[in-house]
Amino acid sequence: METADVIPLTTQFDAIAPDTGKTVKVVGVDMSDPHVRPKLICLVTDVSGTHVEVYDRVKNKRPGA
């Protein structure tokens, strides 16, 4: 059985990158390296446009969630 290296999320969510404080949209999970824990694939929008960044963890943007 073949496994997917990247899993897109059906429900994307907003979060905060803990290292930078940027607001990001989590859109998928990268599981391409079996020796490293999965990474979160995030879209980041800034003055230069939207680009992809990969994070180990993010902080929930909704308080109390």
Side-chain angles (χ1 to χ4, degrees), residues 6-52:
V6 175
I7 301 171
L9 298 180
T10 55
T11 304
Q12 301 172 355
F13 62 93
D14 292 332
I16 299 171
D19 300 336
T20 62
K22 295 184 213 174
T23 299
V24 300
K25 181 171 288 294
V26 181
V27 297
V29 179
D30 178 0
M31 298 177 47
S32 59
D33 188 345
H35 304 291
V36 179
R37 54 191 293 197
K39 307 281 187 190
L40 299 171
I41 302 170
C42 302
L43 294 179
V44 180
T45 302
D46 56 21
V47 294
S48 61
T50 301
H51 60 277
V52 174

Side-chain angles (χ1 to χ4, degrees), residues 45-63:
T45 302
D46 56 21
V47 294
S48 61
T50 301
H51 60 277
V52 174
E53 292 184 8
V54 179
Y55 293 99
D56 290 321
R57 59 189 171 83
V58 294
K59 182 178 178 184
N60 197 331
K61 188 173 179 181
R62 296 183 325 183

